[in-house]
Amino acid sequence: MLLDGDAWHEFFDAFEQEAWRFEAQPTYTMPREQENVARFLRGEGKPPGHNSRWHGRVRGYRGAGRTIGRVRVVRRPLTDYQRYQFAWGIPGNIEAGEDIRILDVTHDDLGLPLTGRDWWMFDDLRIVHLNFHPDGTQMNREVYEGDPAPYREWKRVALERAVPFGEYVKGLDLPT
């Protein structure tokens, strides 16, 4: 089953305890972000209220006692999009209450599924694949109907090997 628009928001918001994302694409080509990525790359300042809608959602989940997190997979050197995320996106998401960790797979992929698909896991039971074209454009969101056990194992490995965002970025020269 494919999810879009309101159906995606309803599916996402239905989690009871935890929403967790495995985020592995080197670049995301999302139309609503393109101007901000261009501003970042030109060295301009972050606009006020950047990503505020997501921050409000995260605060709402946290206020209801639910957790939200992700592991962001990277390979060195970081892509322009990853540098944008690290400087403009992730710090605000963490401030809003999201647990974000970085998994650097430059030297070892750890047997994780790293190409063409990210996924959300809800309450360690429900999985939604985020499918992408090679340029980072999302094709669709698709409910996975199979056994969630491999995803729980990939999540375990990713969390075991990832480091908190603040620890990973120490020493990186990122604009604000």
Side-chain angles (χ1 to χ4, degrees):
M1 172 174 67
L2 297 179
L3 296 172
D4 204 4
D6 289 341
W8 167 237
H9 290 289
E10 289 171 16
F11 189 96
F12 192 107
D13 289 340
F15 77 93
E16 294 179 13
Q17 296 176 15
E18 180 190 42
W20 187 83
R21 181 170 176 176
F22 183 81
E23 186 174 47
Q25 305 310 303
T27 298
Y28 296 93
T29 307
M30 298 170 36
R32 68 178 182 268
E33 279 189 332
Q34 292 312 296
E35 180 54 33
N36 281 332
V37 173
R39 288 179 65 154
F40 169 79
L41 293 174
R42 291 190 300 262
E44 298 175 15
K46 181 168 59 171
H50 181 265
N51 216 14
S52 61
R53 189 176 333 165
W54 177 248
H55 298 160
R57 289 182 71 193
V58 170
R59 285 185 189 101
Y61 300 138
R62 299 292 295 159
R66 300 187 284 173
T67 62
I68 188 160
R70 69 182 74 205
V71 165
R72 177 61 169 111
V73 177
V74 299
R75 276 186 171 51
R76 299 278 188 127
L78 298 177
T79 65
D80 287 343
Y81 185 86
Q82 289 167 337
R83 291 184 318 102
Y84 158 75
Q85 270 190 318
F86 280 28
W88 284 20
I90 293 174
N93 293 1
I94 290 171
E95 186 178 311
E98 191 174 351
D99 176 24
I100 301 178
R101 297 163 189 257
I102 306 300
L103 178 62
D104 192 320
V105 296
T106 301
H107 302 294
D108 185 356
D109 70 8
L110 308 171
L112 296 169
L114 299 177
T115 57
R117 171 181 296 154
D118 290 7
W119 41 275
W120 279 99
M121 178 184 290
F122 302 96
D123 299 321
D124 279 342
L125 297 172
R126 298 179 306 136
I127 313 295
V128 174
H129 290 163
L130 309 176
N131 299 310
F132 294 90
H133 292 289
D135 71 352
T137 304
Q138 189 175 32
M139 291 184 290
N140 58 40
R141 294 178 202 95
E142 180 182 13
V143 176
Y144 174 71
E145 302 287 346
D147 182 5
Y151 292 85
R152 287 194 291 266
E153 177 61 14
W154 292 328
K155 176 185 174 186
R156 185 195 64 74
V157 169
L159 285 169
E160 182 178 280
R161 300 294 289 272
V163 298
F165 174 76
E167 181 180 323
Y168 186 81
V169 298
K170 285 182 184 170
L172 290 182
D173 185 22
L174 296 172
T176 55

